[in-house]
Amino acid sequence: MVASFNTNLVTLNGFINTQEHKHPEATGNLSGLLRSVGLAAKIVNRELTMAGLAEDILGETGNTNVQGETVKKMDVFANEHFIAAFRRGRRCCGIVSEEQDDMVVIDEQGAQYLVCIDPLDGSSNIDVNIPVGTIFSIYKRISKDCSVTKEDFLQPGTKQVAAGYVIYSSSTMIVYTTGDGVNGFTLDPAIGEFCLSNPDMKMPDDGKIISCNLSYQSEFPAFVQKYVHYSFEHDKATKRPYNLRYVGSMVADIHRTLLKGGVFLYPPTTDSPKGKLRLLYECNPISFIIEQAGGASTNGKKRILEIEPNDFHERTPIYCGSKNMVMRMMDMQ
Ligand code: AHG
Ligand code: MN
Ligand code: MN
C-alpha cells in the first residue's frame, strides 16, 4: 500500500493565479501587486523573528510621525521594505503610508493601482513580543495621463479592489479579500511560502467577546457606555457577561474577532475626538475584510466603507465585528 501524501498544497501565488484566471479581463497587475505584499511580509517577518537578537532593530528612532506618535525602528524598517517592494514590483503608481507625511508618487508607466498602508500596526507592542501586523488597501487610480493625485487616494472604501492584513504572531499569516470572500494563508518558513490555511473565512454572527480600551470608558459616548454595561451584566441566556479581550494591536484584535466572533470598538475619546484609528490604512481595509466575512463595521452613523475621505491621515471612530452584536450596540443610540 503506497503511502498517500498531501500534495494539494495551495500557495498564495497559486491562489492568486487561480483567482486571476476566474477573470478573463484580468491584466495580472493586481496579482503582481499582491505578490509584492507577500514578499515584503516575509522580509518584515524575518526581521521581527530575530529582532531581539539583531543589532539595533528594537526600540524607538527618537522621531515622531505625522500622527505625533513615537516611531519605532521596526516602523521604519517595514515602511521602507513595503515601499521598495511596491517600487520593484512595478504595478503601483503611488502609496499613502502611516509613516509618510505625504503620498509617495511612483512614476511607473501604465501602473493602475495605488496602495494605502499601515506598515507596522501595533508597533508599541514590539519590544514586549506581542503580535503586530501590517494593514493594506488597494485601489485603482481614477486620474489619467498624469502622476497619481491626492484625489486618487481619497476614494471611499467601497472602491477598494483588494484589502488585507499580515499578522506576525505565533504564526505569520496573510488574510485578504478582493471582494470575493476572505482567505487566510499561513507562512511555512521551511519553504518560504504562504499556504492556504483558512479558506473562505466567515465571522460568526454572534459572539461573547468585547474588545476595547476600557481605560477611556468614562469618555465614551453614552450608547457605548450603555453597551459596555450590557456586556458585563449576568444573563446566561445571552452568554453574558462577555469576555474582555484587548491586545492593543488592531490586527491581533480583529483576527481574533474574525475567527471567534465578538465586537471591536475604538470610540471617540477626549484625546482622539474623531477616534484614534485611521480611515485609509486601518479602518477601510479592516472593514472590507469584516464585511466580506459577513460582519459589520460602522462609525456609529454609517458604514465605514461609505465615508468620503478628506485627508490621507484622517481618523474615524469604529465599531465592528459580529453583525448581531454591532446592530445591538447601534440600537442603544
Ligand atoms: P499603530 O501602531 O499603527 O500606530 O496602531 C496602533 C493602534 C492599533 O493597532 C490599536 O488598536 C490601537 O492603536 C491601540 O490604541 P490604545 O493603545 O490607545 O488602546
Ligand atoms: Mn496601526
Ligand atoms: Mn503603524
Side-chain angles (χ1 to χ4, degrees):
M1 155 65 163
V2 176
S4 67
F5 297 101
N6 171 8
T7 55
N8 62 354
L9 179 72
V10 178
T11 64
L12 175 63
N13 286 342
F15 184 85
I16 291 170
N17 288 341
T18 310
Q19 293 297 93
E20 185 184 314
H21 287 304
K22 281 185 190 172
H23 302 276
E25 76 288 0
T27 59
N29 289 331
L30 179 59
S31 299
L33 191 49
L34 289 168
R35 284 192 194 93
S36 298
V37 172
L39 171 64
K42 285 189 267 190
I43 293 170
V44 171
N45 177 66
R46 180 187 62 186
E47 203 65 18
L48 282 170
T49 47
M50 295 301 288
L53 300 172
E55 277 305 301
D56 203 24
I57 197 65
L58 290 178
E60 295 164 2
T61 59
N63 305 325
T64 50
N65 60 19
V66 65
Q67 332 278 340
E69 290 166 347
T70 310
V71 177
K72 312 286 279 188
K73 289 173 189 147
M74 268 312 295
D75 281 319
V76 175
F77 180 93
N79 187 52
E80 289 180 5
H81 279 281
F82 271 97
I83 291 176
F86 293 138
R87 283 188 190 281
R88 277 198 310 270
R90 308 194 59 184
R91 301 301 203 282
C92 175
C93 59
I95 302 162
V96 157
S97 165
E98 178 189 286
E99 300 307 329
Q100 306 276 150
D101 298 7
D102 202 353
M103 63 184 172
V104 176
V105 174
I106 301 176
D107 279 324
E108 183 61 55
Q109 193 58 31
Q112 291 303 310
Y113 293 105
L114 47 100
V115 180
C116 301
I117 187 164
D118 177 356
L120 207 62
D121 171 69
S123 54
S124 59
N125 293 309
I126 284 212
D127 299 0
V128 292
N129 214 7
I130 285 175
V132 292
T134 296
I135 311 172
F136 64 92
S137 172
I138 299 174
Y139 290 85
K140 224 177 184 157
R141 69 179 301 172
I142 43 183
S143 61
K144 292 209 180 322
D145 307 327
C146 61
S147 296
V148 71
T149 65
K150 181 171 182 177
E151 288 64 38
D152 281 317
F153 289 97
L154 300 181
Q155 302 178 58
T158 48
K159 299 284 188 193
Q160 292 175 92
V161 293
Y165 60 80
V166 186
I167 177 165
Y168 309 97
S169 181
S170 40
S171 68
T172 291
M173 286 185 70
I174 285 188
V175 174
Y176 84 96
T177 181
T178 54
D180 185 17
V182 178
N183 292 280
F185 300 79
T186 299
L187 179 64
D188 179 343
I191 57 172
E193 290 282 3
F194 281 101
C195 302
L196 183 63
S197 53
N198 300 67
D200 195 20
M201 297 174 82
K202 289 292 175 216
M203 179 180 287
D205 290 345
D206 257 309
K208 56 170 293 182
I209 297 172
I210 177 170
S211 184
C212 66
N213 186 336
L214 275 189
S215 54
Y216 301 119
Q217 183 176 0
S218 64
E219 303 165 25
F220 289 167
F223 79 94
V224 180
Q225 301 212 30
K226 198 170 162 196
Y227 185 79
V228 169
H229 180 75
Y230 167 85
S231 301
F232 297 145
E233 284 172 340
H234 285 248
D235 174 44
K236 267 206 180 357
T238 52
K239 298 183 185 162
R240 291 180 290 150
Y242 295 155
N243 286 332
L244 174 65
R245 291 285 183 273
Y246 190 69
V247 180
S249 271
M250 185 183 197
V251 169
D253 284 315
I254 292 296
H255 189 64
R256 182 204 53 248
T257 305
L258 185 57
L259 290 170
K260 294 194 157 185
V263 279
F264 172 83
L265 36 147
Y266 207 110
T269 63
T270 313
D271 291 350
S272 310
K274 291 203 170 81
K276 173 182 182 181
L277 299 175
R278 279 63 49 130
L279 177 61
L280 260 58
Y281 41 79
E282 289 173 321
C283 297
N284 266 340
I286 293 296
S287 300
F288 190 15
I289 288 175
I290 286 179
E291 287 198 1
Q292 280 289 309
S297 184
T298 171
N299 67 353
K301 297 186 182 66
K302 59 165 55 170
R303 287 166 69 206
I304 292 281
L305 296 182
E306 288 173 351
I307 298 173
E308 294 285 347
N310 295 302
D311 177 78
F312 293 154
H313 301 290
E314 74 180 66
R315 300 167 191 263
T316 175
I318 182 166
Y319 308 94
C320 65
S322 296
K323 62 181 174 192
N324 295 347
M325 298 175 82
V326 173
M327 280 191 313
R328 191 173 299 114
M329 187 190 324
M330 294 304 121
D331 289 346
M332 292 185 179
Q333 291 197 78

